[in-house]
Amino acid sequence: PPGTLCGLHPMSGPSIFTPQPIPVIANRKVTGFAWNTDAQQPLLAVALQGVRSAHRTEGGSVLLFRGDGDHFEDVVIRTRDAAASPLKLAWAPAHVHNGGLLAVGWDDGTLLVWSLKDRLSGEEQEQHAPHAVTLIEWSPEAERFISGDGRQPEAGPANLSVWKVDSRGRPSTVCSYKPASLGGLSHAISRTAGKVKKLVTSVFAAPDCPPFYVAGPAGAVCHATDTGQCNEVIADLGAPVLAMLYDGGSDLLVCMLANSFLCTFKLANNKPTPKTKVKLAMGKGGLQGASWAAPGHLALACSDSLVRLHIVPEGDHYNLLLADVPGAAALGGETGSVVAVSHDPLRGSLAAATREGVAVVWRLIGGEGGMMEEAERAWAPLAPVALGKDRSATALGFGPGEGLLACQYTSGDRSGLCLLPETKLTRTHHGDWALLQTSAHTARVEHLSSGATRLLQTKMRVLGGALYGNVAVLWSGARIEVYEFDESDPSPDEPRLLGEFDSAAHPVALWDDKLFLCVGDRIELSNFAGSIEGSVGLSDAEGQPTCVHIAGRARRGAYLAVGTSTGFVKAWEISRTEARQHVSGRQLVASGPARITSIAITTDGARMSALLETQHTHKSAGNPAAGSASRASWVRSQGLRVYVAETDAVQVHDFGASHRMPQSHHWDPVETMLLAVDTRPTASAPSRSAPLEVTTLFSTPDGGLKVRDSLAPDVPDATFEGLLGLTVPRFHLVRADSLEVVAHESEERAGHKKAAEEARLVHALLLREFDGMEDVDAATSHALISFSYHLVLGQMDEAHRAVRNIKAASVWENMASMCVQTRRIDVAEVCLGNMGHARGARAIREAIGLRSDPEVCAGILAVQLGQLGQAAEMYESSGRHDLLNELRQAKGEWGAAIALAEEKDRIHLRSTHYSYARALEAEGKLEEAIEHYEKAGAHRTEVPRMLFDAEQTSKLQEYVDRKDDAALSKWWAQYCESNGAFDKALDYYQHAKDHLATVRILCFHNKLEAAAEVVAQSSDAAAAYHLAKACEERGQVKEAVQFFQRAGRSNHAVRLAKEHGMASELRLLAQQAPPKVMAEAAEHLEQRGMFDQAIQLYSQSGNMSRALDLCFKHNQFEALREIADHLSADADPALLRKVGDFFLEHGQFDKAVRLFSIAGETKRAIELCTVHNVPISEELAERLCPELGQRGAETEGARQALLLQIAKCCKRQGNYHLACKKYTQAGDKVKGMRCLLKSGDTDKIVFFAGVSRAREIYILAANYLQNLDWHSDAEILKNIVAFYNKGKAFESLSAFYDMCAQVEIDEYRDYEKAASALNEALTHMGKARNAPDGAARMAALQSKIAHVTGFVAARKMVKSNPDEMIRRCHALLGEPDCEEAIRVGDVFALMIEWFYSQQEFARAHALIEQMRDRSILLSPYLDSEMIQEICAAMGVPPPPEGPSQRGGGQPEPGGHDDMDECIEGGDDDE
């Protein structure tokens, strides 16, 4: 009806919003309103402007109203100055005096705080008077609020004050600021994120007040605290601020500007950092309002026909269009200008109102996850509501209670306020009657079978109803009315009122002659007059009742089930005089707050089903003054819960997996394990999801909830609102256009009759397995349900026993249809058998035999039962697009079949086109058939056949000429040839490049030259063969041989050459022929004495024995040599030995060795290599030593002997690497190393020593490396030391270090290094414990070390203590074994150089003479100029050079002369 706002409610019928004026303020101008935060006692504060006229002057006031629009205790709030008018209203959050403080700002600068508890107010005028208060904002976490005025710049900077309230709610100033850059103050927010918590040391300490940000028309933003800090943080936004909000989740400040820009700032360290700046599209009036619609989603009223929602963190946006709201066009709101928005976070509602007086509400339909990714689909629009004639909305606001919405509007020069209370329409039924609420004040009772109706009308706003028999009860939360109606059809009387009384009960249930009233935490039992006859209660933990349901059967008892605000369910048996507890309180959700929103109990009281909401806490993105910074919202659960009383178990089925939300649930009154649930898609569901789907489930004792079937109601010209109830075999559904039907009934009463069937609100729909069995008896009905139950549980024997007595084929057909849904193909076989459906049974057996997927088998079953739509869905879901393609072809849906093949079944694309072409051909649509034959790739054969069968040869020729296709041209040429049109055929053959056919026709007409040209140009083998046969038939042998050869038929060419004595050509032809033909040609040449050619052909054909026989027999030695080079191990060993002997006799030893090695005569081959020095290559060496077990290497010893012989031979030939390899393979690594040492390959020697890991090899390698330049190559020196250490040759290592020391002395005169080397030699000599002369060598080394270190010490005293140096040098010269350790010449030189430097020439000359006496050569030690100068000073001639001896200290190169002996040693095998 006009003036109502309706939409789907989660747990009942539609919700309607009806405009409700407030008479008290009908003639007053409203300047603002504000809701408190107490959902238990919602209050609306309304600011009324004062009246100033010539007749009367009345000051402004603030009135309080309850949620139902009644004036609250006649409260009127005024200031002491009666002329002032209120401008700003703000209720305190819940943590401040339980939300019972109202702050009011007046146009004269008065700030008033009114206390709900004391009904008193406190006023302050010092801060803002006489300027109007334009800003009031409560702190979300502390007992603080801020206020600001809107004074103009010429009056000075506006005042910003921070207030606190005492225990009685009286305000006092904490601090004040005068931010000059802001102008008037209009917007403020508190930052709740990122605040540093202070250490609280007292229980009386007040909580911290979060910082706040304020802005005004000047376009600047300031940051302030309650501790005296106020700083400008944004100097200039470029335009006045129209709205400022805060997103606590992402810690963002959002500013909307007058120039249509939306700016966001990250509040890091309370210093706004620009993040985004977006230009928004606005209507003519610009931005009118802003509100958070969900966390991070900002709703904007932009004076155009949509609500723009900006996703702040991502910077993205989406729109909610008025044009998409059903019914908006009828009210003129489709193109309206949205000027106000409001959001209810607890119920997920977003309201918008237009300048044209239309209001719209959207509901968030996301599941437990809240806002979905597809944001537009997450909002479900409700129908619009008209506010009234000539009313233009200016502001909207949701209240704290259930379904409270207030709208401020203007009408002419006045402004007013109306409430839009939400009414959730009742849908319930009992027996054959249903109670359907149609508006806030009317309800309708309808008979489920006949459609007879009764109308209930009341003045109260109906919040719910109940029905039992012919009695209906309606309640409003303040009053209850009981009606009785006549069940006869048609009824002569309207329903009559049985009783009415005042009661705050909500909800209310009805059974028999009793009312069950939910009041507080108890359920009262009352009669129809309101007299209380008893009560049952709930504990504090169980909470308060939120929903009730009664079910029972005559003479079997009745049960009352209650769902509570804390998530408990509880039941009583009420069939007796007093209610008796049937099920104690049971909580359905173990963790987290939850509340039951809908409950249903079975008629036997064994099970209770429930839907619930869970509480989610999130950071508030809205007005923090409405509550704390963390808001708790109720989110609908997508799970259905069933409590089983007998097992005390809770069964759960989650519809979230299928992206659906359960709406209502109903038990069958007879089959008490059968439950029906209607669901609607969530925002995340696929776009093609059914808008309404009814799912039936079985509650099993052990298996939980099992889905039985899901059905999307599909009735022509009808949509459904939801499920009313389940009574097997029918569902009862309420039509979605029920309100329109009620409007039609109004017209009917005015004289416009319409069919009763069309006016019915309830539609009955059969369960799937009862299709075609509307009047099934109770026994059959129970059998089918039992069959379905056992089928779901997989109990096949029980399922068969349940229906074995049923004979009706229709029943079996329905059960087979049910098997399509349950995918029970094994049961379907039984059903098809009882139906006598042989073809279907065979198809199912074949599908099972192929081990097809159950979904595919179910699709095949659906095809057999004629359920082609379901079959298509199953083929699609199982991915069997090939079967779906076949199905669409069988249905004649060729376009869909081709589209499917192109997209998902490309492997069958051509066959689909082919099948379609055959179908078109059968219909005579040849042109279309040609098109699809071409797409199928079958046009080369099918189009000629089709046109030929249709006797359209001229059209066929045109098609062939047009397509210019070789295959088609060939077909047409064959057709012409068959009809004798050889010239035309020849043209088309040539066009098709069919050279064989062209040559064939030319030969037929004896045009061999033309045929030869075709063969020459085309190189076609088949054509050449045909021409060769033609030439042979005509006696043209040479030409035939030539064309046979060109055709690759060498056997025919050889045959002709043999037959016609063409010996010269025979060998060349035979070489191109297969081996068999080649051998025949060789035999032919042998018979004619052409042995050299015969031998060559025998050899090439693989007949080596015959070729060699001819070589020996006819002395063809050159041919024999060529053959020998190609002999392999596959040849006969005897033949190989024979040829080898031949080469041996003729002195060709290398060829003989090769043949003997191939023939396995390894010893003989080795002897030839040794005696005749035949070089042994790597390949020959491998052949000469076969694998173990083969001839010549039958045992390991025999094979080792062969390896040693090969190694010796290689060594004699100087092939040391190969010799080393063979010695190693024979196990004699030492000899292998000695061979490698002779090669001089240092890298391989080092590598071989490293991998061999043998002591003797290590020593050999180290001895070898000593011969190299180890002094300049550190790597060699390192290897020498390493190898001696690894070989434990410490004596040799000591000798090496001794040699190193001598080299350092002789070559480099480096006595320090020599001393180090001698110490190493001494150390390693100490490790050589078994050395025969170890002690003597140790003593010698120690003596050397003493002499060397003594000389080193003397040299270091040259500058520090020269006399000691001279003394030590003379002492060294006096040692008898000094010359074994050091060069005495160096000792003399040291002293001479010192005396020379000191000009003591006599002493220097005396030392020179001593050197000469010892026969020491002077030149290696003394500079010749120094000698001459000394002699000149002494007046003697320089001494002549003379010979010297080692004992005299002459340096001699060191070295080891026994290295070659070490390398050669041990070669006793030579």
Side-chain angles (χ1 to χ4, degrees):
T4 62
L5 178 63
C6 63
L8 288 175
H9 186 266
M11 305 305 170
S12 61
S15 297
I16 61 173
F17 293 78
T18 307
Q20 176 182 332
I22 302 178
V24 177
I25 59 175
N27 298 319
R28 301 290 299 276
K29 185 174 183 180
V30 178
T31 59
F33 68 93
W35 288 97
N36 71 344
T37 59
D38 187 1
Q40 302 300 321
Q41 188 182 17
L43 293 177
L44 176 66
V46 181
L48 302 177
Q49 188 177 20
V51 178
R52 295 181 178 89
S53 66
H55 302 288
R56 68 187 179 100
T57 300
E58 181 180 353
S61 60
V62 177
L63 304 184
L64 301 184
F65 298 93
R66 294 188 180 91
D68 57 3
D70 293 339
H71 192 186
F72 176 70
E73 299 181 1
D74 297 328
V75 171
V76 179
I77 303 173
R78 290 189 175 93
T79 63
R80 288 188 293 268
D81 181 5
S85 296
L87 294 180
K88 300 296 292 185
L89 302 173
W91 285 93
H95 69 277
V96 181
H97 288 255
N98 296 320
L101 297 182
L102 174 66
V104 185
W106 303 76
D107 59 1
D108 64 348
T110 300
L111 182 70
L112 180 148
V113 177
W114 181 84
S115 173
L116 175 63
K117 178 181 179 181
D118 302 325
R119 306 296 196 270
L120 299 175
S121 60
E123 296 184 21
E124 291 287 345
Q125 290 186 332
E126 297 179 358
Q127 299 296 327
H128 304 295
H131 306 284
V133 177
T134 56
L135 171 66
I136 299 178
E137 184 79 15
W138 285 89
S139 173
E141 296 181 358
E143 295 183 350
R144 301 279 194 277
F145 70 92
I146 61 174
S147 64
D149 55 60
R151 70 185 71 186
Q152 298 300 317
E154 57 268 16
N159 190 68
L160 174 67
S161 299
V162 182
W163 305 82
K164 66 178 179 179
V165 291
D166 60 15
S167 59
R168 298 181 60 185
R170 293 174 297 186
S172 60
T173 306
V174 176
C175 56
S176 297
Y177 310 104
K178 291 183 179 295
S181 60
L182 298 183
L185 303 179
S186 56
H187 302 90
I189 62 97
S190 295
R191 184 196 179 203
T192 56
K195 182 169 67 68
V196 179
K197 296 292 183 181
K198 297 180 180 178
L199 179 63
V200 178
T201 59
S202 171
V203 295
F204 301 103
D208 296 335
C209 178
F212 47 89
Y213 293 80
V214 291
V221 178
C222 285
H223 165 263
T225 67
D226 65 340
T227 59
Q229 298 179 4
C230 182
N231 303 307
E232 181 184 275
V233 290
I234 301 177
D236 186 10
L237 289 170
V241 179
L242 299 183
M244 185 166 72
L245 296 94
Y246 174 66
D247 182 7
S250 55
D251 197 22
L252 289 177
L253 177 68
V254 184
C255 297
M256 276 70 68
L257 308 180
N259 58 4
S260 301
F261 275 97
L262 184 150
C263 305
T264 62
F265 299 86
K266 186 70 174 178
L267 300 182
N269 298 322
N270 287 318
K271 296 180 180 178
T273 302
K275 187 176 181 183
T276 60
K277 187 174 183 180
V278 182
K279 179 78 171 180
L280 301 177
M282 297 285 181
K284 186 175 181 181
L287 181 70
Q288 298 293 320
S291 173
W292 292 110
H297 292 239
L298 181 63
L300 304 175
C302 301
S303 302
D304 48 13
S305 58
L306 54 85
V307 177
R308 187 181 307 278
L309 286 103
H310 189 80
I311 306 176
V312 175
E314 289 80 9
D316 200 359
H317 74 276
Y318 59 98
N319 300 322
L320 301 179
L321 303 177
L322 296 181
D324 294 338
V325 178
L331 298 178
E334 181 180 10
T335 58
S337 299
V338 177
V339 293
V341 290
S342 181
H343 176 237
D344 182 4
L346 299 184
R347 279 159 290 278
S349 299
L350 176 65
T354 69
R355 187 178 288 116
E356 291 74 19
V358 177
V360 180
V361 175
W362 286 268
R363 285 271 166 77
L364 188 63
I365 62 173
E368 297 180 5
M371 179 66 68
M372 300 296 178
E373 293 182 1
E374 301 180 19
E376 295 92 337
R377 294 183 56 204
W379 295 98
L382 310 182
V385 55
L387 301 178
K389 186 177 180 181
D390 299 328
R391 290 181 175 180
S392 177
T394 58
L396 280 174
F398 276 104
E402 191 86 13
L404 294 178
L405 179 63
C407 179
Q408 183 179 344
Y409 60 86
T410 60
S411 180
D413 58 349
R414 296 187 305 158
S415 64
L417 184 78
C418 68
L419 297 178
L420 298 173
E422 178 184 6
T423 302
K424 302 171 184 176
L425 300 185
T426 296
R427 272 88 173 91
T428 185
H429 80 104
H430 181 265
D432 294 332
W433 291 90
L435 175 64
L436 308 169
Q437 185 180 354
T438 56
S439 73
H441 305 285
T442 60
R444 163 176 167 151
V445 182
E446 179 176 312
H447 195 273
L448 298 179
S449 300
S450 64
T453 61
R454 310 287 185 267
L455 185 64
L456 305 178
Q457 293 182 318
T458 180
K459 294 182 180 180
M460 64 182 183
R461 185 168 68 90
V462 178
L463 297 183
L467 183 67
Y468 181 85
N470 65 334
V471 177
V473 60
L474 303 176
W475 70 86
S476 66
R479 188 170 183 79
I480 297 176
E481 296 179 356
V482 184
Y483 294 87
E484 182 183 33
F485 59 92
D486 190 351
E487 294 186 84
S488 61
D489 185 22
S491 173
D493 302 318
E494 293 295 325
R496 67 184 183 89
L497 185 64
L498 282 181
E500 58 179 332
F501 56 92
D502 293 334
S503 174
H506 180 69
V508 176
L510 170 64
W511 188 262
D512 200 7
D513 58 350
K514 292 186 178 63
L515 296 175
F516 297 84
L517 314 177
C518 296
V519 181
D521 59 353
R522 68 187 186 279
I523 298 97
E524 297 177 345
L525 283 69
S526 165
N527 58 20
F528 293 161
S531 298
I532 304 301
E533 299 177 353
S535 67
V536 294
L538 298 170
S539 66
D540 293 339
E542 291 170 345
Q544 297 183 353
T546 56
C547 52
V548 295
H549 181 251
I550 301 177
R553 283 184 282 183
R555 297 183 299 277
R556 294 191 181 182
Y559 302 91
L560 168 68
V562 175
T564 73
S565 58
T566 57
F568 279 81
V569 294
K570 195 170 185 178
W572 291 266
E573 184 184 356
I574 59 174
S575 56
R576 303 183 184 184
T577 305
E578 294 184 358
R580 183 171 62 89
Q581 181 173 294
H582 177 63
V583 175
S584 60
R586 178 68 155 82
Q587 194 170 19
L588 299 185
V589 178
S591 61
R595 65 182 180 186
I596 308 298
T597 57
S598 175
I599 192 169
I601 190 170
T602 58
T603 55
D604 59 1
R607 292 171 171 83
M608 288 183 286
S609 59
L611 299 176
L612 52 82
E613 294 178 345
T614 57
Q615 198 172 60
H616 287 216
T617 302
H618 56 81
K619 287 289 184 181
S620 175
N623 180 12
S628 71
S630 293
R631 303 290 298 271
S633 61
W634 290 100
V635 179
R636 294 161 55 192
S637 170
Q638 293 178 261
L640 171 73
R641 289 164 172 81
V642 173
Y643 174 70
V644 183
E646 183 178 359
T647 60
D648 189 32
V650 177
Q651 302 172 343
V652 182
H653 179 77
D654 186 11
F655 288 93
S658 55
H659 304 284
R660 301 194 70 84
M661 179 67 71
Q663 308 293 315
S664 64
H665 48 106
H666 306 271
W667 294 96
D668 183 80
V670 178
E671 304 292 344
T672 56
M673 290 190 293
L674 182 61
L675 173 68
V677 184
D678 66 325
T679 63
R680 288 193 173 273
T682 61
S684 61
S687 58
R688 294 183 294 176
S689 299
L692 177 67
E693 192 173 274
V694 180
T695 301
T696 51
L697 307 98
F698 283 114
S699 175
T700 64
D702 302 319
L705 293 175
K706 298 290 186 181
V707 176
R708 172 187 165 276
D709 189 16
S710 292
L711 175 68
D714 185 12
V715 179
D717 302 325
T719 56
F720 297 101
E721 170 191 298
L723 180 65
L724 179 66
L726 168 66
T727 305
V728 173
R730 293 176 178 85
F731 298 116
H732 297 290
L733 302 168
V734 181
R735 292 175 57 176
D737 56 352
S738 58
L739 298 180
E740 298 178 8
V741 172
V742 173
H744 285 308
E745 283 189 339
S746 300
E747 296 178 4
E748 182 181 325
R749 290 187 177 88
H752 299 283
K753 290 289 184 182
K754 65 183 296 184
E757 186 68 26
E758 295 179 0
R760 296 179 63 172
L761 303 185
V762 181
H763 184 90
L765 188 67
L766 287 172
L767 275 73
R768 199 187 302 271
E769 58 264 47
F770 290 92
D771 285 343
M773 297 187 296
E774 291 83 354
D775 300 323
V776 64
D777 59 89
T780 303
S781 174
H782 178 70
L784 289 175
I785 295 300
S786 298
F787 172 79
S788 176
Y789 175 77
H790 293 299
L791 191 62
V792 168
L793 293 181
Q795 300 170 351
M796 303 310 303
D797 295 337
E798 289 79 358
H800 187 265
R801 277 196 292 270
V803 295
R804 61 185 175 185
N805 295 325
I806 297 178
K807 304 299 182 184
S810 60
V811 175
W812 288 105
E813 184 176 355
N814 287 331
M815 287 192 291
S817 299
M818 189 165 55
C819 291
V820 174
Q821 302 303 318
T822 60
R823 314 299 195 260
R824 294 307 301 264
I825 308 303
D826 49 351
V827 180
E829 282 192 272
V830 178
C831 296
L832 292 172
N834 284 278
M835 291 168 55
H837 200 311
R839 182 187 62 192
R842 177 183 177 183
I844 293 300
R845 281 196 301 271
E846 290 177 352
I848 295 175
L850 294 174
R851 297 182 179 179
S852 299
D853 185 82
E855 192 84 2
V856 176
C857 294
I860 295 173
L861 175 61
V863 170
Q864 298 301 321
L865 297 175
Q867 301 174 6
L868 302 184
Q870 294 188 31
E873 293 177 1
M874 292 175 181
Y875 289 155
E876 178 73 29
S877 63
S878 63
R880 289 300 301 270
H881 301 106
D882 53 338
L883 297 178
L884 180 58
N885 190 354
E886 292 178 4
L887 178 62
R888 289 181 176 175
Q889 292 181 37
K891 292 170 65 178
E893 299 175 354
W894 291 105
I898 291 174
L900 175 67
E902 289 177 344
E903 183 178 355
K904 299 179 179 179
D905 189 29
R906 295 195 64 84
I907 194 172
H908 295 112
L909 178 59
R910 289 193 173 187
S911 62
T912 304
H913 281 294
Y914 182 81
S915 300
Y916 188 27
R918 294 300 297 266
L920 292 171
E921 180 183 352
E923 296 175 5
K925 300 177 181 179
L926 301 185
E927 290 296 333
E928 297 179 28
I930 289 174
E931 177 185 353
H932 287 280
Y933 275 134
E934 290 176 352
K935 292 181 178 180
H939 60 286
R940 295 177 178 85
T941 56
E942 295 298 327
V943 172
R945 176 198 56 76
M946 178 181 68
L947 296 179
F948 182 78
D949 292 343
E951 298 181 355
Q952 297 185 16
T953 54
S954 59
K955 188 174 183 180
L956 174 57
Q957 185 175 2
E958 293 176 2
Y959 178 77
V960 171
D961 293 338
R962 184 176 73 252
K963 295 303 292 184
D964 193 21
D965 184 87
L968 290 172
S969 298
K970 181 178 179 180
W971 192 97
W972 184 250
Q974 291 173 342
Y975 173 76
C976 294
E977 183 181 0
S978 64
N979 288 288
F982 294 106
D983 293 339
K984 186 180 290 186
L986 187 61
D987 291 340
Y988 279 96
Y989 277 136
Q990 290 176 346
H991 183 72
K993 296 183 179 179
D994 189 344
H995 307 295
L996 173 60
T998 302
V999 169
R1000 177 167 48 78
I1001 290 180
L1002 292 174
C1003 291
F1004 179 76
H1005 291 88
N1006 289 321
K1007 298 180 180 180
L1008 299 184
E1009 293 181 358
E1013 292 180 4
V1014 172
V1015 171
Q1017 294 174 0
S1018 65
S1019 300
D1020 186 271
Y1025 179 77
H1026 187 86
L1027 179 57
K1029 295 293 289 184
C1031 292
E1032 182 181 359
E1033 292 174 357
R1034 290 166 176 76
Q1036 300 177 7
V1037 178
K1038 289 186 178 181
E1039 290 78 0
V1041 169
Q1042 177 185 354
F1043 288 116
F1044 274 133
Q1045 188 175 5
R1046 178 171 292 182
R1049 301 300 178 89
S1050 303
N1051 53 340
H1052 288 283
V1054 169
R1055 174 179 55 80
L1056 286 179
K1058 287 165 58 179
E1059 291 176 356
H1060 295 84
M1062 301 170 64
S1064 58
E1065 293 87 357
L1066 180 58
R1067 183 178 64 84
L1068 296 176
L1069 294 172
Q1071 287 178 340
Q1072 302 174 8
K1076 182 180 179 181
V1077 176
M1078 198 180 300
E1080 293 175 355
E1083 185 179 356
H1084 178 78
L1085 293 173
E1086 180 185 356
Q1087 293 174 358
R1088 283 159 178 73
M1090 304 173 69
F1091 301 113
D1092 53 345
Q1093 298 183 18
I1095 290 171
Q1096 185 177 4
L1097 291 178
Y1098 276 131
S1099 174
Q1100 293 177 358
S1101 67
N1103 194 350
M1104 291 294 183
S1105 59
R1106 185 59 184 164
L1108 292 173
D1109 287 342
L1110 290 179
C1111 288
F1112 289 125
K1113 185 176 181 180
H1114 300 286
N1115 297 322
Q1116 297 289 330
F1117 300 126
E1118 290 299 328
L1120 180 61
R1121 291 188 181 91
E1122 294 179 4
I1123 294 174
D1125 292 336
H1126 296 87
L1127 288 176
S1128 64
D1130 297 333
D1132 184 11
L1135 182 63
L1136 292 172
R1137 287 193 295 270
K1138 183 177 180 181
V1139 179
D1141 291 334
F1142 172 81
F1143 286 121
L1144 183 60
E1145 292 175 0
H1146 291 77
Q1148 297 186 16
F1149 305 112
D1150 53 344
K1151 293 184 179 294
V1153 168
R1154 176 180 175 275
L1155 293 174
F1156 286 143
S1157 64
I1158 295 174
E1161 297 287 341
T1162 55
K1163 291 183 179 181
R1164 193 174 179 186
I1166 293 173
E1167 289 176 0
L1168 288 176
C1169 291
T1170 304
V1171 174
H1172 299 286
N1173 198 25
V1174 177
I1176 299 178
S1177 63
E1178 187 82 22
E1179 179 185 0
L1180 179 58
E1182 293 299 324
R1183 285 202 305 267
L1184 291 176
C1185 186
E1187 295 296 328
L1188 184 63
Q1190 296 182 0
R1191 182 182 175 187
E1194 292 81 0
T1195 62
E1196 184 66 34
R1199 188 173 186 274
Q1200 189 173 5
L1202 286 176
L1203 289 170
L1204 291 173
Q1205 291 179 12
I1206 297 170
K1208 293 174 186 177
C1209 185
C1210 291
K1211 184 177 180 181
R1212 291 191 180 96
Q1213 294 175 0
N1215 193 347
Y1216 298 114
H1217 288 93
L1218 187 56
C1220 174
K1221 179 178 179 181
K1222 294 306 170 182
Y1223 273 129
T1224 303
Q1225 290 177 352
D1228 196 340
K1229 294 182 179 180
V1230 175
K1231 292 182 179 179
M1233 173 56 96
R1234 287 174 174 157
C1235 290
L1236 202 57
L1237 291 174
K1238 290 187 177 182
S1239 70
D1241 193 332
T1242 303
D1243 293 338
K1244 290 188 178 181
I1245 290 170
V1246 172
F1247 174 78
F1248 187 79
V1251 299
S1252 297
R1253 298 185 178 182
R1255 179 176 182 274
E1256 189 175 355
I1257 293 177
Y1258 282 136
I1259 296 172
L1260 287 173
N1263 292 341
Y1264 166 79
L1265 294 176
Q1266 287 190 53
N1267 281 339
L1268 305 181
D1269 186 10
W1270 50 265
H1271 193 275
S1272 59
D1273 193 338
E1275 188 68 23
I1276 296 176
L1277 179 62
K1278 184 178 72 173
N1279 285 329
I1280 293 172
V1281 175
F1283 288 158
Y1284 276 137
N1285 276 315
K1286 291 178 180 179
K1288 307 295 182 182
F1290 301 116
E1291 185 178 0
S1292 298
L1293 183 56
S1294 176
F1296 173 69
Y1297 275 119
D1298 189 5
M1299 182 188 69
C1300 290
Q1302 197 62 49
V1303 170
E1304 293 295 339
I1305 293 172
D1306 293 342
E1307 300 292 338
Y1308 305 101
R1309 300 176 67 181
D1310 192 340
Y1311 285 90
E1312 286 83 356
K1313 289 186 178 181
S1316 298
L1318 288 172
N1319 283 321
E1320 289 290 334
L1322 181 63
T1323 300
H1324 289 89
M1325 192 63 204
K1327 296 179 182 180
R1329 299 175 183 176
N1330 298 324
D1333 53 348
R1337 295 185 64 178
M1338 288 279 289
L1341 287 172
Q1342 290 172 352
S1343 176
K1344 282 186 177 182
I1345 292 172
H1347 294 322
V1348 171
T1349 54
F1351 181 64
V1352 170
R1355 290 174 67 178
K1356 292 180 179 180
M1357 295 178 181
V1358 171
K1359 294 182 180 181
S1360 61
N1361 194 354
D1363 294 336
E1364 180 64 22
M1365 180 267 294
I1366 297 297
R1367 189 190 65 79
R1368 291 193 178 192
C1369 287
H1370 283 294
L1372 284 173
L1373 292 175
E1375 293 291 337
D1377 56 349
C1378 174
E1379 296 181 2
E1380 297 295 329
I1382 61 176
R1383 298 192 306 178
V1384 294
D1386 290 329
V1387 179
F1388 281 110
L1390 178 62
M1391 291 188 292
I1392 292 171
E1393 288 173 356
W1394 166 251
F1395 289 132
Y1396 172 75
S1397 66
Q1398 301 299 318
Q1399 301 294 317
E1400 296 183 18
F1401 299 115
R1403 299 183 66 178
H1405 183 264
L1407 291 174
I1408 290 174
E1409 290 300 323
Q1410 290 181 25
M1411 289 180 67
R1412 293 186 64 198
D1413 292 342
R1414 291 195 179 198
S1415 302
I1416 298 174
L1417 192 63
L1418 300 180
S1419 59
Y1421 304 105
L1422 300 175
D1423 183 63
S1424 59
E1425 292 182 358
M1426 181 180 65
I1427 296 172
Q1428 290 177 2
E1429 188 174 350
I1430 291 172
C1431 291
M1434 296 300 297
V1436 295
E1441 292 294 335
S1444 65
Q1445 299 176 359
R1446 176 69 185 94
Q1450 168 132 6
E1452 294 182 2
H1456 286 271
D1457 297 331
D1458 59 346
M1459 184 57 61
D1460 290 338
E1461 296 178 2
C1462 293
I1463 295 176
E1464 296 293 341
D1467 283 352
D1468 54 349
D1469 56 337
E1470 296 190 13

